Amino acid sequence: MKKKKKAFTLLELILTLGITLVVIATIYTFFLSNTKTMKSTEINTDLQAEAQKIQSEFLKYGTEAKGVYSINGIEVKDDNFIYTGVLDGNGKLDVEEITFNVEENKHKYTFNSSTGELKVQKNAGEIIELSNNIQEIKVRPLDFRNNSDGRFYKTNGIEISLVLNIKKIVLQR
């Protein structure tokens, strides 16, 4: 009597390879989408932490301030001062530089729109970089509805809007 050899037929082998490829493709797609989601979540978390740091900086020195000293290099001197820059439809002004009067000191925040850097200089001393992911900074007086011409002198406060965005790094070969 002949013993039958146990082996795979060509059809079984092709079927097994096909099922394996479908399973691997599914796992790879799932892994790739999860990696993208994790990276996006990590970026958003980093930007939120950076925004909170900037917000606490503005909040600390903004609440201690006697007022706004200058905006974009133009000194806010008296009640007749009206900022002549361009206000958007919501009365917000693009800011490259804003200086607060904090007691006897000046806290100057400088934004470089080409690099996205926001720096603060306290008392004409050391310069501290707060962020390099700023896309835009806008300010407007809190009493904008009653003060639509953009007066920053003796306003109850100012609203500061920040937009943060991480620039994509393009690798060249």
Side-chain angles (χ1 to χ4, degrees):
M1 207 178 218
K2 277 187 172 179
K3 289 188 178 178
K4 287 190 176 182
K5 292 182 181 178
K6 293 185 179 180
F8 293 109
T9 64
L10 186 59
L11 183 62
E12 289 173 331
L13 188 60
I14 291 173
L15 220 64
T16 304
L17 284 174
I19 291 171
T20 304
L21 286 175
V22 168
V23 169
I24 288 174
T26 305
I27 291 172
Y28 180 75
T29 305
F30 180 72
F31 177 75
L32 189 63
S33 69
N34 279 345
T35 303
K36 286 181 181 179
T37 303
M38 289 288 286
K39 190 169 197 151
S40 174
T41 302
E42 184 180 343
I43 288 171
N44 287 339
T45 302
D46 290 346
L47 287 177
Q48 279 183 325
E50 208 168 295
Q52 284 178 331
K53 176 183 161 189
I54 296 167
Q55 180 183 6
S56 66
E57 176 81 17
F58 275 130
L59 189 60
K60 179 179 179 185
Y61 294 110
T63 54
E64 291 177 8
K66 293 179 185 175
V68 176
Y69 178 76
S70 68
I71 298 173
N72 293 343
I74 300 173
E75 208 171 307
V76 179
K77 291 184 180 178
D78 56 27
D79 195 30
N80 295 324
F81 171 83
I82 298 174
Y83 190 79
T84 56
V86 179
L87 300 173
D88 69 7
N90 296 321
K92 294 182 181 179
L93 173 71
D94 283 322
V95 173
E96 296 286 325
E97 175 188 303
I98 187 166
T99 306
F100 296 114
N101 261 340
V102 181
E103 298 187 15
E104 301 301 318
N105 307 315
K106 307 269 187 291
H107 292 256
K108 181 178 180 181
Y109 295 86
T110 308
F111 168 57
N112 183 334
S113 58
S114 61
T115 62
E117 291 179 328
L118 176 64
K119 297 180 180 181
V120 62
Q121 181 177 8
K122 300 174 185 176
N123 305 328
E126 80 174 285
I127 297 174
I128 302 167
E129 184 176 317
L130 296 176
S131 175
N132 59 0
N133 295 314
I134 306 289
Q135 185 174 332
E136 70 178 18
I137 299 178
K138 294 187 177 206
V139 297
R140 76 172 178 188
L142 276 183
D143 56 356
F144 171 71
R145 300 209 192 297
N146 300 326
N147 176 12
S148 59
D149 55 1
R151 296 178 193 270
F152 284 89
Y153 187 77
K154 291 189 179 177
T155 184
N156 296 333
I158 61 170
E159 175 185 317
I160 302 172
S161 301
L162 295 171
V163 176
L164 279 78
N165 190 12
I166 291 185
K167 296 170 186 70
K168 292 182 180 179
I169 300 171
V170 178
L171 300 175
Q172 296 179 353
R173 293 182 181 192

